[in-house]
Amino acid sequence: MSNAAPTPPAGPSSSSARSSAPASTADAVELLGLVAQLEHTAFVRLAGDCALAPDVEQRLALSRFAAAAVERRDRVLARVAELGADPAASMRQFDDVLTEFDERTQPSSWWERLLKAYVGYGVADDFCRIAAQGLDERSRAVVLEVLDDASHAELAVAELDAAGSGDGVLSSRLALWGRRLVGEALGTVQRLITQRPALERLVAAAAAEPDGAPSDGGNASAAGTTTPNAPAKVFGELTAQHTRRMSRLGLTA
């Protein structure tokens, strides 16, 4: 399978046409369930990274990051419960959301593992930030607060920058790895938008907002201001964020 970034659908799909409805509680619960599942996955991944980390300082830091991921997950699930939905069920529908991505992007070194956490999973977080703009105010605040924790990203950047600054071969390999990661991550996002009408509706509501401004709980779409090329706008933003991450490491996107 090609690792090139997927081409967003051209023009509105049949599910895009349904984006004229305002964001519903069910749509909010779906995105919250996705975010909770990503935080749970982060906990599992960080616990695994802790066992593989090359020194005690990193193991201690990663164990703390894993504990923080559990706390963030539970904050999101508490909001699901506030909305009257089943927290476990909201997560369960996304049990396999990253399975294919992980199968296609098995890291072969500690450095590739760090870059995957920073770049690959960063795309999923960016997508949730964008979709969150279509939520009600309280749900949006919870999602953005949870995704605002950059502690693990700072560790990854520091370690990768130190390793790559004096090793041109490693930097070249990581640049190639980063391009593979973003291609696969964007493919995962494309499948989510295609297969999950609720997420597509939230993305459409978010895309309708000028300069990424928060919507009024999705009511922008109710006013008939949805953006037909919302997926293209989302992929453009995700690609731009990826480029910024790679540039921060001194790597070519």
Side-chain angles (χ1 to χ4, degrees), residues 221-240:
S221 57
T225 57
T226 53
T227 304
N229 65 340
K233 185 175 180 180
V234 168
F235 279 95
E237 178 60 24
L238 293 177
T239 301

Side-chain angles (χ1 to χ4, degrees), residues 119-179:
V119 169
Y121 299 118
V123 172
D125 287 351
D126 287 339
F127 170 72
C128 291
R129 287 187 185 93
I130 293 171
Q133 301 305 324
L135 295 176
D136 62 273
E137 183 177 356
R138 173 61 183 151
S139 298
R140 180 171 63 245
V142 169
V143 171
L144 296 182
E145 288 167 7
V146 161
L147 297 178
D148 191 48
D149 188 341
S151 302
H152 183 245
E154 294 301 327
L155 172 68
V157 169
E159 295 290 335
L160 289 166
D161 185 58
S165 60
D167 190 335
V169 173
L170 177 61
S171 292
S172 296
R173 288 176 176 172
L174 289 177
L176 289 173
W177 179 238
R179 288 194 282 274

Side-chain angles (χ1 to χ4, degrees), residues 6 96-102 124 127 182-195 235:
D96 299 321
V97 67
L98 293 178
T99 298
E100 187 172 349
F101 172 73
D102 285 331
F127 170 72
V182 74
E184 296 291 354
L186 290 175
T188 299
V189 169
Q190 185 176 47
R191 286 190 292 276
L192 278 171
I193 293 175
T194 300
Q195 298 170 4
F235 279 95

